[in-house]
Amino acid sequence: MSQAWIYTIVYFAWLIGAACFVLGLHLMNSPATGRNGNRLSASGMVIAVGATLVDLIVRPEGLSTIALVIIVVGFLLGGGAGLYTARTVKMTAMPQLVSLFNAVGGGAAALVAIDDFIKLAGLGGGGADLSTTVFVVLGAVFGSVTFTGSLIAGGKLQGLIPGKPIVVPGGQILTIAVAALAIIGTVVLILGAAGTFALSSSVTLVVLALIVAAGLVFGVTMVLPIGGADMPVVISLLNALTGTAAAMAGFVIGNPVLIIAGALVGASGTILTNLMATAMNRSVLNILAGGFGTGDSAAGAMVTGAGGSVREISPDDAAIQLAYAQSVIIVPGYGLAVAQAQHQVRELAELLESKGVDVKYAIHPVAGRMPGHMNVLLAEANVPYPQLKEMDEINPDFERCDVALVVGANDVTNPAARNPGSPVSGMPILDVDHAKSIIVIKRSMGRGYAGIDNELYSNPKTGMLFADAKEGLSALTAAVKAV
């Protein structure tokens, strides 16, 4: 087979891989088809990687033995680590894993662009042209910011770094300074590539190194002051930057499938970031300004809450309310994920359904610590997809709901969001307080990531069942069986 035909087949394979990405992303619009979308996208990646390997082998310069060994070792290490992680990671650690993937993806995209640029600038290539320079600089900046920013975000989610906003003295000045450095360096490289003035190879590489360093520092100073309440938005934003960096790298090396995949991730991440910010009634710029949320606060069980006393109930009391209700809405939160109680909540829901109770799940857009966290968690426990209702769809049903069962959710149920002047003022919430009766399963009266008291807990209709989510749901299930 001639080399021209091989190149044609490679490009068709790339297009097939890109088509799999597009269709896979479309299937991920629904929880019911999300798994198939993930499988299709993974298949597209296998096709794209295989075609790229063939492209490297059939090039005139060929592929050296050392290069081939490095690629094979990379496949084994990366594939092995991915397989091990996929089989062992807990759902509660999924946000941290996504942050790590963002960091790896952004860093890899930056390195690909930088490596190609160094070859052009330092190995007698005559320097990079204007378009290549633009793509390299953008890829290096976005990739560097994503790398360090995602590591900091993952550290906050894992608890290695405090979840509360960390304001470094002079941090804003440093952020502005490194941003200015990156912009100035970008202008210098672009003007040099355009022929406005001559830049030696050594000066070009030094300027690029300064831009990369500025991006790395900016990622740290950008994410550190952001509180845990805003982490879902930050993860989406960093995901968008990762995709953009990958697309820029694709332009640099002339790989269409990398361009398409990066553009898809960048565009979808940007849209998701905007949706998450809207769900919190905060602009992206306001979120990046930082200073919101204090992280999880470990407070013990108290008998007073925001604006009044708290009524504690037993599993038996709660079971009677649930067993004789006609309609129950379950509101899952991050506390459910932490306790790995998704199977227990499904068991309770099935038991209630066997008694003729209509059961639904209310999913807030930013429940958990990652967009879609609750949907994935409940899907793992085989909760029927039709029972999962988004906030706008389920909110009108709370008025007609007999019992709202809140399991580990905090800020997304706080009626204080309707009060002007509150730190969460204007944030769309689940209208749990509109239900006829409310049961809250929570380990303590500790505050959520916004760092404020939840007015729902002192509502006269609310009964607090202080327990770990898994233990509380198991006790409830046993009590309902005995009713």
Side-chain angles (χ1 to χ4, degrees):
M1 184 181 294
S2 68
Q3 197 173 64
W5 272 106
I6 294 177
Y7 283 141
T8 301
I9 293 173
V10 167
Y11 270 84
F12 268 114
W14 280 342
L15 290 176
I16 292 173
C20 289
F21 296 154
V22 175
L23 294 174
L25 185 63
H26 175 71
L27 292 175
M28 291 180 194
N29 281 331
S30 168
T33 57
R35 290 182 179 178
N36 290 333
N38 195 29
R39 295 189 184 102
L40 184 60
S41 298
S43 301
M45 182 58 70
V46 171
I47 294 172
V49 171
T52 301
L53 183 60
V54 171
D55 179 57
L56 291 173
I57 293 174
V58 302
R59 285 181 179 181
E61 63 270 23
L63 196 62
S64 67
T65 303
I66 295 178
L68 184 59
V69 170
I70 291 174
I71 290 174
V72 172
V73 171
F75 280 163
L76 294 176
L77 291 177
L83 180 62
Y84 174 78
T85 303
R87 290 185 175 276
T88 59
V89 67
K90 296 181 179 179
M91 284 306 303
T92 49
M94 192 60 69
Q96 296 92 301
L97 183 63
V98 170
S99 290
L100 181 61
F101 285 165
N102 280 342
V104 172
L111 288 176
V112 168
I114 293 169
D115 176 69
D116 211 63
F117 188 78
I118 290 175
K119 291 178 181 178
L120 293 173
L123 298 180
D129 57 25
L130 178 59
S131 61
T132 299
T133 300
V134 172
F135 294 137
V136 165
V137 171
L138 292 178
V141 171
F142 291 148
S144 300
V145 171
T146 302
F147 180 72
T148 53
S150 296
L151 290 179
I152 296 297
K156 280 177 172 279
L157 294 172
Q158 186 64 26
L160 301 176
I161 301 174
K164 64 182 180 181
I166 301 175
V167 181
V168 180
Q172 289 186 339
I173 297 176
L174 179 60
T175 301
I176 294 173
V178 294
L181 177 61
I183 293 172
I184 293 172
T186 299
V187 172
V188 169
L189 288 184
I190 290 176
L191 292 179
T196 304
F197 48 76
L199 289 176
S200 66
S201 297
S202 58
V203 172
T204 299
L205 296 179
V206 169
V207 173
L208 180 61
L210 289 174
I211 292 174
V212 172
L216 293 172
V217 174
F218 185 85
V220 175
T221 58
M222 179 186 76
V223 179
L224 271 181
I226 299 177
D230 290 327
M231 275 303 118
V233 183
V234 173
I235 291 175
S236 296
L237 177 61
L238 292 172
N239 183 254
L241 291 179
T242 298
T244 304
M248 296 301 105
F251 280 113
V252 173
I253 64 177
N255 189 309
V257 73
L258 189 56
I259 296 172
I260 295 172
L264 283 173
V265 174
S268 59
T270 301
I271 294 171
L272 188 57
T273 299
N274 184 61
L275 290 174
M276 293 295 103
T278 300
M280 300 177 71
N281 195 39
R282 289 159 57 76
S283 69
V284 176
L285 289 178
N286 182 252
I287 289 170
L288 294 180
F292 178 64
T294 62
D296 285 322
S297 59
M302 301 185 298
V303 295
T304 59
S309 60
V310 170
R311 179 170 59 92
E312 185 174 357
I313 60 175
S314 67
D316 291 334
D317 295 331
I320 292 174
Q321 294 183 54
L322 292 170
Y324 291 101
Q326 292 184 335
S327 172
V328 171
I329 297 179
I330 299 174
V331 181
Y334 187 68
L336 181 141
V338 169
Q340 288 286 285
Q342 61 270 29
H343 297 284
Q344 283 70 27
V345 77
R346 186 210 64 201
E347 182 182 356
L348 175 62
E350 290 178 346
L351 177 61
L352 293 175
E353 288 178 317
S354 69
K355 293 179 175 290
V357 181
D358 177 47
V359 179
K360 299 175 183 175
Y361 295 80
I363 310 297
H364 192 279
V366 293
R369 292 186 180 177
M370 184 181 79
H373 195 184
M374 283 300 116
N375 299 76
V376 175
L377 189 74
L378 295 172
E380 182 193 36
N382 295 318
V383 172
Y385 298 124
Q387 291 185 356
L388 305 181
K389 305 295 182 181
E390 298 299 328
M391 178 180 64
D392 292 337
E393 181 182 3
I394 196 68
N395 264 348
D397 292 347
F398 280 107
E399 294 279 359
R400 302 181 294 274
C401 170
D402 293 314
V403 181
L405 176 62
V406 181
V407 186
N410 199 330
D411 296 326
V412 298
T413 65
N414 195 344
R418 305 191 191 106
N419 304 330
S422 166
V424 293
S425 180
M427 173 182 171
I429 61 169
L430 293 166
D431 294 332
V432 175
D433 57 327
H434 292 175
K436 298 174 183 176
S437 180
I438 306 159
I439 299 172
V440 177
I441 299 179
K442 202 172 185 294
R443 288 179 299 175
S444 71
M445 286 293 293
R447 295 168 175 174
Y449 265 88
I452 62 174
D453 292 325
N454 192 335
E455 296 180 1
L456 180 71
Y457 302 160
S458 57
N459 189 309
K461 296 186 294 184
T462 300
M464 301 293 297
L465 176 57
F466 291 111
D468 169 83
K470 180 180 288 188
E471 296 173 356
L473 288 168
S474 297
L476 266 182
T477 302
V480 170
K481 288 179 180 178
V483 173

